[in-house]
Amino acid sequence: MTVYLIATLTLVAIAALAGLALNLQWGMGGLVNFGLFGFYMLGAYIAGLLTVQGLPPLVALGVAMLGVAALSALSALISVRLSEDYLAIVTLGFAECLRLVISYEGWLTRGMLGVSGIERPLQAWWPRGWGDTGFLLLALLAVLIVYTVLQALARSPFGRLVRATRDDPGVVEALGKSVLGVRVRVFAIGGAILGLAGSLHAFYYSYIDPTQFGPIITAYAFMAVVVGGRGSNRGVVASAFTLIFLLEGSRFLIDLVPGLGASELAAIRLFLVGVGLVALLIFKPDGFGREPRSALADKTSSRF
Amino acid sequence: MLTTYLSRRALLATSVALAASLASPPMSLAQQSPIRIGLLAPLTGIGGPYGQEEEQAARAAVKIINDAGGVLGRSLELIVADDETQPTAGVAAARKLIDVDKVASIAGVWSSAVALAVKPITLEKGVLLTVNGSADEITDGDNKNLVWRFQTNGKSWGEAFSKAMAKDGIKTASILVLQTPFTQSTIQPFRKSFTDAGGKVLDEVSFNAGQPSYRVEVERIFGKKPDAVFVAAYINELSAIAKEAFRSGYDSKIYAFGNAAGSNGQFVKNVGAEVAEGVHHTQQVPVGKSAAYSRYLKEIGKPDGTIMTFGAQVFDQIVLTALAIEKAKSTDGVRFGVEVPALVNADAPSIGDPAEALKALRAGKPFRYAGAASDFRFAPNGDQTDLTFGHFLIKAGDSKLVGEIR
């Protein structure tokens, strides 16, 4: 059971990273990134392919973060002038294109066969049999670092600027700040975090193929942010935990249901996950946490 | 106010119940604990149409073994998990089977992508992995006798199609292939074998699952009017493509996998007898009369002549796992995995009934197990050899066996 919990906690860490990235882009910045899974997939593929080529896994991870950040910034340049729904469509289209390219360009990505034998970072450090625990520690460390950076960013002047571009880009423009510049930077930072999450995904499974990445990853990230409370990093981490344990815990719940075939139980399990999420939103419509606000913001918000 | 209070309490109660159910250990049934074996079946997702067949077969095999006294004096217990036909969900489900349920083996892995994702974990933990996936990569590398394929590999199946077409006098063919490791692995062998025999491949198009329409693909492939079109896809995509081609009035013959076009009449049910008329399919089949296959059909209450290959493969997987455990006198995958090939490759009288095989094993009599899915043997890398393919043709809503291909 302990081994299983370690594996599940690793999934929590990866989901939390994806959630934190989206919380920066959508929660704080108001940028609807439906193409999240594409950036995540790109991170996994860069890290996976470079590691298989013999590059040290940590270097591959770094390249993946930089690469995804650069591409995110680029896609933001093209698309953030669009308003909310159009941005959502463009990012989704971008991610689907990326998935098709990875599926069909077999010479580079090994196509549908996927990339196998991806080595995990620092595996030699841990004693035999402790590899999974070691990897979990590494993933938790990554979450801690990202969380700290994002918390600092949220409290910094730049964080206030990001929230301002979400709430009223016109005012920000009038004050002489570049909204586009802010958005490109937000997309780039979010992209780097998604690259990190994707790399960890590749290292954890040690095998990646295009069917592992789909809009469902985007959906889980949005769920994490909605359940966690838009703008609250602490809430997002807590809700990533809830989400994965709902998904995994339901595997055990159906073991207790007697007299039904496995196919029915499998369907019931997915149904239970849905019911659980709906229940969460009914009982906690604002999510687990709140966006940190300045005293001034609290005063002004009461006027609206 | 009252309602909020009650709902909160209800929420609390549910979460406590959830926590309690997570914490309580799984109940043990027999005085001596049963040997647990896992089935990682595609109960939802694109493999969904085949999941139930797998579960039924696994339960049938477990029941036959348990009725014959179980293995090592203990009964077998089957734990079923859903892989959602998706590698990440498959890994999570496999982890639960291995780390929580402590299964000795995992059977029934249908999707090649799931098999490739689960393989590193089973190798690390020394759990036997028996798969239905065809992608050649599954059996590549050093698998420590832990990975066995109960399915033809892509190469043999691709060649079987070219032989079937040659017999039907097909000169030109086009290929419509779904993007999965298995379906793609059949294409190169098919092309090579077909062109070597003097045929000509006009065009090849690959496509993704779950498209709203296959019109563009169908127009491009059927529009060139090849004698035959090899549709390398599963039942849902094949159904959509066959309907589209019929509606547009194309008359190239469709050749498809038996598990898609046969699938126990499901394809005919999906598209109707008129559209299904004249669709060819090939499938690895039991040679002549297989005792194991009859025993399997009897146990699940299906009439003779029903073709359920995935089920038969899972049946063989569970039976051979049980026999290997009994022979090695160990539930450690690394130790009983070694016994798997000798159980089918031995130069000894063939036995198909699992109960009799178990009896012979206990009595120390030499025998070999003749499988339900096919009378196969194992190559050292874990692939099956000596497979026979049946060539079927759908006529008036029924699949008729028109020939055998070796």
Side-chain angles (χ1 to χ4, degrees):
Chain A
M1 190 75 199
T2 325
V3 191
Y4 178 69
L5 281 177
I6 288 171
T8 309
L9 277 174
T10 313
L11 292 181
V12 170
I14 298 172
L17 285 173
L20 284 171
L22 186 70
N23 192 35
L24 172 69
Q25 296 180 335
W26 178 58
M28 277 177 66
L31 302 167
V32 189
N33 183 3
F34 272 9
L36 180 134
F37 78 89
F39 299 108
Y40 181 92
M41 181 182 195
L42 188 71
Y45 264 90
I46 294 179
L49 286 170
L50 288 179
T51 308
V52 173
Q53 290 302 316
L55 220 61
L58 279 183
V59 177
L61 185 144
V63 176
M65 287 178 69
L66 288 177
V68 179
L71 202 79
S72 277
L74 206 67
S75 75
L77 263 186
I78 303 163
S79 55
V80 285
R81 279 175 224 255
L82 301 168
S83 70
E84 283 215 348
D85 353 2
Y86 292 97
L87 177 65
I89 295 167
V90 168
T91 49
L92 183 61
F94 172 79
E96 285 292 347
C97 289
L98 200 67
R99 183 160 63 145
L100 289 178
V101 168
I102 287 177
S103 303
Y104 286 89
E105 296 305 315
W107 58 275
L108 178 67
T109 61
R110 308 208 358 94
M112 297 303 287
L113 278 177
V115 185
S116 54
I118 301 166
E119 197 194 328
R120 288 180 181 175
L122 309 179
Q123 277 305 286
W125 281 26
W126 320 105
R128 228 184 108 70
W130 289 83
D132 281 349
T133 316
F135 186 69
L136 171 65
L137 290 178
L138 198 73
L140 289 178
L141 182 72
V143 176
L144 187 71
I145 294 173
V146 167
Y147 175 82
T148 316
V149 168
L150 286 182
Q151 280 297 85
L153 192 144
R155 297 211 165 89
S156 71
F158 181 68
R160 286 199 296 275
L161 188 58
V162 172
R163 283 194 294 269
T165 59
R166 172 193 68 193
D167 293 338
D168 197 334
V171 169
V172 175
E173 203 81 60
L175 288 171
K177 304 273 185 190
S178 158
V179 174
L180 182 64
V182 172
R183 289 184 169 171
V184 167
R185 272 179 280 169
V186 165
F187 244 67
I189 300 169
I193 301 170
L194 287 174
L196 174 64
S199 308
L200 290 179
H201 175 111
F203 293 139
Y204 172 70
Y205 289 104
S206 82
Y207 166 76
I208 47 173
D209 80 305
T211 61
Q212 299 175 16
F213 308 94
I216 192 72
I217 293 177
T218 306
Y220 284 150
F222 268 92
M223 216 55 226
V225 176
V226 170
V227 172
R230 253 183 104 173
S232 162
N233 289 324
R234 202 178 305 165
V236 168
V237 173
S239 73
F241 189 84
T242 317
L243 208 66
I244 296 292
F245 272 78
L246 200 61
L247 277 169
E248 288 300 311
S250 54
R251 285 184 203 283
F252 292 84
L253 265 187
I254 61 161
D255 282 354
L256 303 174
V257 181
L260 278 178
S263 298
E264 288 87 3
L265 288 176
I268 288 177
R269 183 184 145 243
L270 297 181
F271 175 73
L272 275 180
V273 173
V275 169
L277 290 177
V278 172
L280 263 176
L281 288 185
I282 290 175
F283 291 110
K284 281 216 146 285
D286 297 327
F288 292 141
R290 285 191 63 202
E291 185 168 66
R293 312 200 87 172
S294 62
L296 188 67
D298 271 339
K299 260 183 227 159
T300 49
S301 68
S302 60
R303 258 189 270 145
F304 293 107
Chain B
M1 195 60 215
L2 186 67
T3 47
T4 350
Y5 181 64
L6 280 178
S7 342
R8 265 197 197 146
R9 215 157 44 176
L11 180 69
L12 187 72
T14 337
S15 32
V16 168
L18 184 93
S21 69
L22 285 179
S24 65
M27 292 168 287
S28 68
L29 300 168
Q31 299 95 328
Q32 209 185 8
S33 67
I35 298 170
R36 293 182 154 184
I37 51 177
L39 178 75
L40 187 59
L43 296 168
T44 53
I46 61 163
Y50 308 111
Q52 214 160 9
E53 176 180 328
E54 285 202 10
E55 191 205 351
Q56 218 177 16
R59 295 212 183 278
V62 165
K63 182 159 183 299
I64 292 171
I65 300 284
N66 283 344
D67 287 350
V71 286
L72 306 177
R74 295 158 71 182
S75 61
L76 289 183
E77 186 189 353
L78 186 74
I79 314 269
V80 185
D82 179 18
D83 68 17
E84 301 171 36
T85 330
Q86 217 267 340
T88 46
V91 166
R95 285 224 175 245
K96 186 205 163 231
L97 286 177
I98 295 171
D99 296 332
V100 183
D101 299 322
K102 310 275 181 211
V103 295
S105 67
I106 292 183
V109 182
W110 180 87
S111 144
S112 295
V114 174
L116 285 166
V118 167
K119 187 174 115 172
I121 305 169
T122 57
L123 286 184
E124 188 196 327
K125 309 268 176 173
V127 170
L128 186 80
L129 180 67
T130 52
V131 305
N132 303 50
S134 274
D136 294 350
E137 279 71 9
I138 299 173
T139 49
D140 281 355
D142 176 20
N143 293 327
K144 306 177 200 157
N145 292 310
L146 284 169
V147 182
W148 300 97
R149 190 206 303 281
F150 286 69
Q151 171 75 286
T152 158
N153 57 13
K155 184 168 175 291
S156 325
W157 210 340
E159 288 169 356
F161 273 101
S162 110
K163 287 174 193 164
M165 288 186 190
K167 257 201 317 202
D168 293 346
I170 302 287
K171 296 275 177 288
T172 54
S174 290
I175 302 165
L176 201 48
V177 52
L178 175 73
Q179 286 272 24
T180 73
F182 153 59
T183 45
Q184 285 184 316
S185 69
T186 58
I187 300 305
Q188 272 321 314
F190 166 76
R191 262 179 180 271
K192 185 168 182 310
S193 167
F194 188 69
T195 40
D196 284 354
K200 191 161 178 267
V201 176
L202 297 185
D203 201 359
E204 177 183 332
V205 168
S206 36
F207 62 95
N208 280 284
Q211 286 176 208
S213 148
Y214 297 92
R215 175 134 212 115
V216 180
E217 288 84 356
V218 165
E219 287 295 330
R220 180 167 147 198
I221 284 294
F222 287 79
K224 291 184 181 155
K225 303 203 184 308
D227 294 343
V229 176
F230 174 23
V231 182
Y234 298 116
I235 178 164
N236 293 345
E237 296 77 29
L238 175 70
S239 303
I241 287 165
K243 271 195 242 172
E244 197 82 67
F246 179 79
R247 239 180 265 140
S248 313
Y250 292 120
D251 49 12
S252 304
K253 289 180 188 163
I254 291 179
Y255 283 73
F257 298 122
N259 53 39
S263 60
N264 261 318
Q266 188 59 45
F267 170 66
V268 177
K269 248 184 255 167
N270 280 4
V271 300
E274 206 183 347
V275 176
E277 185 71 22
V279 170
H280 294 254
H281 54 96
T282 75
Q283 176 78 62
Q284 153 201 345
V285 286
V287 198
K289 194 157 169 49
S290 153
Y293 192 64
S294 320
R295 186 73 189 81
Y296 158 57
L297 286 184
K298 196 179 132 206
E299 191 63 41
I300 60 170
K302 293 269 187 224
D304 272 345
T306 317
I307 304 269
M308 302 186 86
T309 27
F310 285 125
Q313 287 158 6
V314 170
F315 186 84
D316 286 341
Q317 292 171 357
I318 305 280
V319 170
L320 274 178
T321 304
L323 291 176
I325 292 176
E326 180 78 37
K327 193 170 178 199
K329 307 227 174 305
S330 161
T331 55
D332 176 3
V334 180
R335 291 178 56 192
F336 73 78
V338 187
E339 305 289 348
V340 172
L343 284 166
V344 290
N345 293 352
D347 194 10
S350 296
I351 298 183
D353 188 320
E356 277 173 37
L358 208 52
K359 220 188 284 170
L361 188 57
R362 288 196 195 114
K365 268 190 259 171
F367 77 101
R368 61 173 291 272
Y369 175 68
S374 190
D375 191 8
F376 58 88
R377 282 171 169 73
F378 272 121
N381 73 338
D383 276 349
Q384 289 186 338
T385 57
D386 278 4
L387 299 172
T388 312
F389 290 86
H391 176 185
F392 298 84
L393 177 63
I394 301 181
K395 271 189 183 155
D398 267 326
S399 291
K400 301 267 187 299
L401 185 68
V402 293
E404 278 187 0
I405 309 157
R406 268 216 161 241

